[in-house]
Structures are given as structure tokens and as C-alpha cells.
Amino acid sequence: DANEIRGCHLSPDGTFVAAALDNGTVELLDMSTGQSVMTFGTHSGRVNTVMFAPNGKFLVSGSMDGLCKVWAIQEGSTADTF
């Protein structure tokens, strides 16, 4: 299943949970509603891990494509790739 969750991480303030998915995306979910509020997705392989930065402003994802991506949550875009 392309939407299988491989990992998840709770935001520092407990407002959101980020889920790493098999389809190469990271889904940001609102903890109070369970609804998706944003999708980050340019990995070409499944995302195995995701973690919030301590300040809650960035996500870091690691994928089977061999890349780590840093996502700027407020901008909804990739801040860095390595």
C-alpha cells in the first residue's frame, strides 16, 4: 500500500504529527482533528523516517532514494537537500 506509514513524529508543541509514507511523501496531520493539513513530497523512494526540528519550524525526512530533505513548514517547501 503506497500510503503505508513507515514512521511518525509529534511536533514539539503537540499540535501536529508528521507521517513518513511509502509513496515518497510526508503528511502533516492536525492532532486535534486527525486531518491532513499539508503534504511534502518530492522523494523518489519511500520515506523511512521523519522528525521535527526542536523549534517546530522544520521537518527532516530520510528516504530510500538516499536523500535527506529539510522542509520549511510555514513555506511548505524544501529548504535543503543532502
Side-chain angles (χ1 to χ4, degrees), residues 52-67:
F52 281 91
N55 66 9
K57 295 181 180 182
F58 297 94
L59 285 169
V60 178
S61 59
S63 171
M64 291 297 289
D65 63 9
L67 299 174

Side-chain angles (χ1 to χ4, degrees), residues 7-8 14 18 27 30 34 44 47 53 61 64 67-68 74-75:
C8 58
E27 198 78 25
D30 184 303
S44 62
V47 180
S61 59
M64 291 297 289
L67 299 174
C68 287
Q74 288 183 338
E75 289 80 15

Side-chain angles (χ1 to χ4, degrees), residues 22-77:
D22 269 356
N23 66 3
T25 66
V26 173
E27 198 78 25
L28 189 63
L29 304 162
D30 184 303
M31 283 294 292
S32 64
T33 65
Q35 298 297 310
S36 174
V37 294
M38 192 174 295
T39 301
F40 301 93
T42 57
H43 280 290
S44 62
R46 88 172 172 231
V47 180
N48 292 323
T49 189
V50 64
M51 181 171 262
F52 281 91
N55 66 9
K57 295 181 180 182
F58 297 94
L59 285 169
V60 178
S61 59
S63 171
M64 291 297 289
D65 63 9
L67 299 174
C68 287
K69 293 187 179 260
V70 180
W71 306 93
I73 295 172
Q74 288 183 338
E75 289 80 15
S77 61

